[in-house]
Each structure stands twice: as C-alpha cells, then as structure tokens.
Amino acid sequence: MSDNQVAIIGAGATGLAAALWLEDHTSLEYHVFEQQDRAGGKVVTMMDDGFIIEGGADSYLERKVAMTDLIKRVGLYDELVRNEVGQAYILKNGVLYPNPKRTVLGIPTDLDEFMKTDLLSNDGKKELLKEYDKPMAPRVNGDISLGDFFEHRLGKEMVSSLIEPLLGGIYGGNIYELSMKATFPHFLKMEEEGSLLKALEKKQQPEENVKKQGMFLTVKTGLQSVFEAVVKNLKEDRVFFNTQVEEIVKEGDNRYLVCLTNGERKGPYHSVLITTPPQKASQLIPDKKIEQQLQALTATSCATVALTFPDYAIHNPYEGTGFVVARDGDETITACTWTDVKWPHTGKPGKTLMRAYVGKPNQPEIVYENDESITNAVLADLKGIMNCDADPEHVQITRWYEAMPQYKVGHVERVQRLVHDLTATHSGLHVAGAAFEGVGVPDCVKQGNEIAKKIADTVKVT
C-alpha cells in the first residue's frame, strides 16, 4: 500500500473532478467514498417516458470552461447542446413582464432601451437615474449585502422587481444577507470607479445582424451522465458507493484514517478532501473549533417540481423560455422554466415539460410538505398565468434540504479563517465544494482540480 494515498469524501462534482485530476496527472492512489448509490451529488438526471428531467442544475454557463474541459475529457463533447434563446419574463402582481433587453443581472447597459419597460414605475426609473451621482455604499470590513448595495445604488423598486428575483434563482437566499464580496466583487470595483451604469455602458457591445446564441450548455444525456462518465474513466475499485463515512481520525504525524459507519477503517491517508456540505463535514472532523466554523456556513432548502402535460391541455399565450417571480408576491413558486422550449432535447412530440421551483428565502416550509401539497400549490400559481385544462400526466419533485449555500456578509474572510486554521492544525485535510467558492457546477469542478493539484504538490514536497 502506498504511503501517499488520498481519500475523497463525496462523489459529486468537486470530489470526482479531484479524483480524475489525480488519475490524469499523478500516480497517487485515491479512494472516493460516497454514501449514495450514484455519482453526481446535487446533479441528478431522471429519464421518464422519453423525458430528460434534471432534479438539480440543468446546465452551466459556457464561459466557465472547467466544465467543458471535463466534458471533453470524458468523451461527451459531441453531446453538448446550447439553450434556445427566447424571451424571459418576470412575474409581478400576477402579470408577466418581459425581462428588459440589454441588461446584466437586471442592470441596464442601454438606458434608452431600458426606459421602455413597464416593469418599473416612473418613480422607480427616476431613482435609477440618480445612480450616476451617488456616493459609494457603506461597507463593513470591505463587504456589504447584495440587497443593501443594489438598493443604495439603484433603488428599492429595482431590487424588488428585477435584481432580487434574478439573483434568487442563483442563490435562493435573502439578498439582504448575502455577501457582495463573495458573489459579485466586480460590481464593487465598478462602484469604486464612480457608477455601475457608466461602467456597464462602456462594456455594451454594439448590436450586430447575427443570431444570438444561448449562454448555457448541457449534454443531451443529462448532466449526471458527465459524472457517471468520470467514474468510468477512473481505475476500478476506486469509488465506493453506498459507503458512509462517520469520522476522520488523525493517526501519527499528519496521517488520517477514514472510519466508516459499518465499523471499517480505511487508510492511513496522506491527504483527505471532504466535499460534503459543511454541516455534514463538521461531524467528520473531531475538532470543536473547526466544527463551529463549518457550522457557521449555512444553507437554505428548495425543491424542483417537473410537470408533464399533453400539449392540448396547456394554452400558454407567452412566447418564451420561462419566468422568475418578484419576491413581494403571493405566489409559492419562485421561478418556472418552460423546459421543452428552452431545451428541446428534453421533451417529446405532443407533450409539454416545465419545471417550477419552490422554497422562498426564510420560508422553506413548502419544501417539507408532501407531494400533493407541493403540486397543488405549483398548479395554482401556473393556472393564474396559463390555461391548464388537465392535471399533469406526471410530476417529479426533487427536494434539496439545506442544500443551497448562503454566502453571507463576511463569507470570504470566514472561509479564509477556516482554511488557515484547518491547515495549521490538520495538515493534509481539505474542504471544498459549493459552500466555499462558487455554487455552480463548473465552480465545483474547478475547486476539485485546484485542491487535487495542491495535494499533489504537497506530496512532492514531502
């Protein structure tokens, strides 16, 4: 047995990316321990009667190339597809308003175009125009919440009608608690230059007579198939499914044993990478200080609700790919994607597939209700927008309990302290994943690659 074995806890995007990097770039032995019976973690794809249904992330931003590189590596590059471009909407006071053109996260890059929208009142537009002359928003240790920052610069109506519903789809939390420094630090830099509107106007690209392309990519076989392919590209007997880790125990001088719930002990390992959510990770490391630091990284709950209908049962007067919901409304859903329009490969002729999201910030109760209650709440909202003449033929609900990481104000420094203390007291022990540096799948892949390289460099030094 090698003295330089690596243990990886979790076979999600972060853990499997790390394992594949070690496989490709080193001769180190590694073992991946996963308590579920499948690869992918929060990436889960279901095939149902010809439909491809994603229970978690359904795509990724093309500009985040770590994911595309991984897809190439596992031989699925030819399966890549791009989202269809269509009008997106914002549901406010029971009305669907077109998302204004030429905006970045709702912030206009072309004011003349933006002023045509009916989504904002005249007072809201007047407040927006004051942004050019506003002083910098006050910070605490260089940080400020998303809500406070954007409200200071753009006005309260801009936040409630545009910024908050758009950001809610990414982070699923209370934007008056989430950190600008951890999520959109480039906007802080723009403000330091004087004005967000002015900075974005400079970045505006001239309109050209070319067809717009979607910014998101996925694979025809579903995102989970990417991570199933990663497992197939690893050596046999390196990934242990249905295997739950109970504790990581230090043995001797910076060596670790992985203790399983069935009583087995694996190792010793030179390095251990824990990619589970922080609350779970805190239970694995017998160190009170580290445990408290991990537990300070919180998450919210949400659920995705996929519904299929016969085409004749849905009368949708809107041409588009879906909508997000303004946060001050009475709706249960927070967003809805007309999936078979945005991703034609996921559907089948004569059928309609859509996916709704539930679980508002600080109101996670709906996620814990039974399938019937969730379905009825979603249908009630959808019937207020579209005519539905029949019940759905199939409903697939995927619940994510305390799974949406919340990068609260001070998150960057919080993570830096955690990593510093972990390195100082438990050399060779690492934590990574969506809760730390980027919630998207490509962000997790990138973290896995970086930690694997760090581990390999450490082994070379020792």
Side-chain angles (χ1 to χ4, degrees), residues 108-112 115 125-136 152-154 191 193-202:
T109 62
D110 182 336
L111 272 175
D112 291 336
M115 290 301 165
K125 292 174 183 177
K126 289 176 183 177
E127 185 63 32
L128 171 66
L129 293 175
K130 296 178 183 178
E131 195 274 338
Y132 290 103
D133 301 315
K134 286 186 178 179
M136 284 179 55
H152 172 83
R153 297 228 59 88
L154 307 171
E191 187 195 37
E193 297 171 4
S195 164
L196 300 189
L197 295 179
K198 191 174 292 185
L200 288 172
E201 285 166 4
K202 290 179 182 178

Side-chain angles (χ1 to χ4, degrees), residues 294-313:
L294 285 166
Q295 290 179 350
L297 303 176
T298 58
T300 61
S301 300
C302 64
T304 62
V305 185
L307 308 101
T308 63
F309 299 86
D311 279 349
Y312 66 79

